Amino acid sequence: MSFKVAFIGAGSIGFTRGLLRDLLSVPEFKRIEVAFTDINSRNLQMVTELCQRDIKENGLDIQIQSTLNRREALRDARYIFSVVRIGGLEAFQTDVDIPLKYGIDQCVGDTLCAGGIMYGQRGIAEMLNICKDIREVAEKDCLLLNYANPMAMMTWACNKYGGVRTIGLCHGVQHGHKQIADVLGLTKEEVDIVCAGINHQTWYVQVRHNGEDMTGKLLEGFENHPDYSQTEKVRIDMLRRFGYYSTESNGHLSEYLPWYRKRPEEINEWIDLGSWINGETGGYLRVCTESRNWFETDFPNWMKDPALEYKQEHRSEEHGSYIVEGLETGRVYRGHFNVVNNGVISNLPDDAIIEAPGYVDGNGISIPRVGDLPIGCAAVCNVSISVQRLAVEAAVSGDDMLLRQAMMMDPLVGAVCNPKEIWQLTDEMLVAQEKWLPQYQEAIEKAKGRLAAGNLIPTKQNHGAARLRVKTVQEMAQDREAANRVAGESDKAKVRPTAVK
């Protein structure tokens, strides 16, 4: 069995390598073609060397096509994995720091809020160029597997405007599934779940054990759990008030809602600093920065470490390889995928990108109808969908009025800022990210004029309610095992910096 798989943004530190391991652990895939492409030649080279070493150590005869020429990598590809972060850490820094001046305190800033909206503006502009290349040179009817955030916005744009069949993938459902099993004193295999909603705001609407509905037991279980009761306070509070557990981590979820991060003096009541993902201000930016610095310094040692083993028992829970396996071999796989709604969840808009259960086999990808979400859960999702729709249309058209409206409608931005502040914030972010926003050229020139004219609303140099210092490479070297864990964390979920630049 032979077909071509291409990775766009392949210079990501750990994620490309892990996905390749997953694919090449499938017995039938020992002769597939693999192509890597990225815009950062050094990081592309390092990841290619690591992966090629893994391939050799596993006794396979596959030569990675590693190229800066995206079209060559995409040529004749049947499956394409997107793990890009347009603008890298340079743009990411502005996603976090500029909103902080206006009191908007984000943990991640990659899905909603000011950072996620701007991340979508950069990403969608480039993804539409990528889709054009895919249409022109990839295999007909190829499948784009998108791991890049903002998941819903990117997948929405690729399907509606890119002309490429696109499925969005995330592993938040699997992680929450494990937590639910933990608080019930069971294994994941003993708990059957159904999740439905939108990416990073998906709800466990069905939790069963031996046919018994366990949903009513979750709140007490989480409240009494020695770890989660401290690290998942936002998720527990949402469970308490909406009746269902949400997929996304405490830090992520806290920035999608108007209630938990709008007052600096209250933020620490809802977060935990034991891990960045529990709510640290700019936490993901910090671990990505540390990870990039560490990987570039410690790369020679990574080449000396044992190779990844391509065995079934070492495959991750990432959906990507299982989707490819199901389509190519006919084996049935059940997962949760991000797709155009089209009536799957009946009280969310048809054009939205929803996350819901799906089945894969040789006949394709099938998404059963879920029906109505609980009305409160649907209300939370619908607010975010309105922001996503505005942000997608803004990114495609370059209409900065739509962009400003997306900012105004965002739950946390709207809870913290008034309209005049939002207008000035948007001006600042457009100007700071000019080189990644070609569709906004005219709007950016006008924004520059307004900022230069003076009479600006005063802002503060805000460190954030819970921000930690970036560790130096020397500090990280004191515990290499911990440093390598940080490098792994920088590839959490779908938030992969392109080559972690």
Side-chain angles (χ1 to χ4, degrees):
M1 182 177 291
S2 181
F3 52 87
K4 185 175 181 179
V5 180
F7 292 79
I8 307 174
S12 72
I13 288 173
F15 196 60
T16 298
R17 190 183 181 201
L19 278 176
L20 184 64
R21 172 204 58 205
D22 292 350
L23 280 168
L24 296 183
S25 296
V26 179
E28 291 87 348
F29 293 174
K30 303 303 184 184
R31 296 186 181 278
I32 66 171
E33 298 177 55
V34 176
F36 288 176
T37 187
D38 202 286
I39 62 172
N40 185 306
S41 59
R42 175 58 180 146
N43 283 48
L44 179 62
Q45 177 188 349
M46 289 190 291
V47 173
T48 301
E49 287 181 17
L50 274 172
C51 291
Q52 195 66 65
R53 191 278 307 265
D54 290 341
I55 289 171
K56 180 180 179 181
E57 292 296 318
N58 281 273
L60 300 183
D61 185 21
I62 295 174
Q63 184 66 41
I64 297 170
Q65 178 191 3
S66 182
T67 175
L68 298 174
N69 186 323
R70 185 170 71 205
R71 288 173 68 90
E72 286 307 307
L74 293 173
R75 191 173 302 280
D76 299 323
R78 184 176 300 175
Y79 301 99
I80 299 157
F81 288 84
S82 172
V83 291
V84 301
R85 177 184 282 280
I86 304 304
L89 294 187
E90 182 184 352
F92 191 10
Q93 184 89 41
T94 66
D95 286 342
V96 173
D97 288 353
I98 294 176
L100 260 181
K101 294 167 56 180
Y102 294 83
I104 303 166
D105 188 311
Q106 303 167 99
C107 173
V108 183
D110 72 352
T111 299
L112 283 177
C113 208
I117 291 169
M118 293 307 299
Y119 187 9
Q121 304 310 294
R122 304 191 304 271
I124 288 170
E126 187 57 28
M127 279 307 301
L128 294 183
N129 292 330
I130 291 170
C131 285
K132 180 177 182 294
D133 289 344
I134 291 172
R135 294 195 309 270
E136 292 177 356
V137 302
E139 189 173 292
K140 185 180 179 181
D141 298 325
C142 70
L143 179 62
L144 175 58
L145 298 165
N146 177 51
Y147 276 97
N149 273 325
M151 172 61 63
M153 295 183 203
M154 297 281 268
T155 305
W156 195 324
C158 290
N159 278 292
K160 182 175 181 179
Y161 293 106
V164 174
R165 185 171 57 124
T166 306
I167 301 291
L169 302 178
C170 179
H171 62 214
V173 172
Q174 298 96 301
H175 287 181
H177 187 182
K178 174 65 165 58
Q179 290 182 327
I180 287 171
D182 287 346
V183 303
L184 295 174
L186 301 167
T187 65
K188 279 181 66 175
E189 292 70 27
E190 294 176 299
V191 180
D192 184 60
I193 56 101
V194 172
C195 259
I198 61 174
N199 182 242
H200 289 185
Q201 289 182 328
T202 316
W203 307 84
Y204 295 89
V205 294
Q206 178 177 297
V207 178
R208 295 185 182 276
H209 171 58
N210 290 335
E212 179 186 356
D213 183 3
M214 307 296 284
T215 305
K217 298 182 179 182
L218 294 184
L219 180 57
E220 182 180 1
F222 276 101
E223 288 178 332
N224 293 328
H225 192 277
D227 182 14
Y228 302 145
S229 62
Q230 301 304 308
T231 61
E232 302 289 2
K233 293 177 183 177
V234 172
R235 295 171 85 179
I236 292 171
D237 197 58
M238 290 294 287
L239 171 61
R240 181 181 297 117
R241 301 183 192 282
F242 285 83
Y244 297 88
Y245 197 58
S246 179
T247 51
E248 202 44 58
S249 67
N250 200 72
H252 261 309
L253 186 58
S254 68
E255 64 188 9
Y256 307 151
L257 303 165
W259 309 301
Y260 301 102
R261 302 187 79 98
K262 67 178 179 179
R263 297 177 184 145
E265 66 274 14
E266 295 179 2
I267 290 175
N268 280 287
E269 297 177 16
W270 294 106
I271 69 171
D272 170 81
L273 291 178
S275 170
W276 70 269
I277 205 167
N278 298 332
E280 173 193 339
T281 300
Y284 190 50
L285 174 62
R286 177 182 64 81
V287 298
C288 285
T289 303
E290 291 177 353
S291 177
R292 175 201 59 190
N293 296 342
W294 176 249
F295 184 63
E296 290 177 352
T297 302
D298 197 55
F299 173 72
N301 289 323
W302 288 52
M303 289 295 290
K304 297 174 185 176
D305 288 339
L308 296 184
E309 292 185 279
Y310 294 166
K311 295 181 178 179
Q312 179 68 30
E313 59 267 30
H314 297 318
R315 286 174 81 179
S316 75
E317 292 187 315
E318 298 291 349
H319 297 301
S321 70
Y322 296 96
I323 291 175
V324 177
E325 179 182 8
L327 293 172
E328 292 294 328
T329 71
R331 298 188 191 106
V332 178
Y333 176 67
R334 175 191 175 191
H336 285 76
F337 313 134
N338 290 268
V339 297
V340 181
N341 186 18
N342 287 332
V344 172
I345 301 177
S346 48
N347 55 351
L348 297 184
D350 280 349
D351 62 337
I353 298 298
I354 54 95
E355 191 165 53
Y359 294 85
V360 186
D361 61 16
N363 295 311
I365 300 171
S366 302
I367 311 293
R369 186 176 184 275
V370 172
D372 277 358
L373 279 183
I375 190 169
C377 300
V380 172
C381 290
N382 272 309
V383 173
S384 297
I385 289 169
S386 293
V387 177
Q388 292 166 354
R389 182 184 290 106
L390 284 164
V392 169
E393 297 301 323
V396 172
S397 66
D399 185 337
D400 68 309
M401 183 60 73
L402 293 177
L403 174 60
R404 295 170 199 278
Q405 291 169 358
M407 292 284 192
M408 288 189 71
M409 291 301 299
D410 180 82
L412 184 54
V413 174
V416 173
C417 296
N418 65 37
K420 290 183 179 179
E421 291 168 332
I422 293 171
W423 245 241
Q424 184 174 301
L425 162 68
T426 306
D427 278 351
E428 279 205 60
M429 297 196 80
L430 283 169
V431 172
Q433 300 185 13
E434 177 179 9
K435 61 183 173 182
W436 302 289
L437 299 172
Q439 72 273 46
Y440 285 108
Q441 184 175 355
E442 182 178 346
I444 289 171
E445 291 306 313
K446 292 179 179 179
K448 288 179 179 178
R450 285 189 292 270
L451 293 175
N455 300 318
L456 301 179
I457 299 168
T459 59
K460 297 179 180 179
Q461 291 300 319
N462 189 346
H463 183 70
R467 196 162 197 176
L468 302 180
R469 181 180 58 84
V470 175
K471 292 181 180 178
T472 66
V473 170
Q474 291 73 25
E475 289 172 322
M476 297 180 75
Q478 294 175 14
D479 187 344
R480 184 170 181 263
E481 183 177 348
N484 287 342
R485 284 198 302 271
V486 168
E489 286 182 358
S490 75
D491 279 330
K492 65 100 196 166
K494 311 141 311 290
V495 195
R496 276 90 199 176
T498 302
V500 194
K501 300 177 181 61

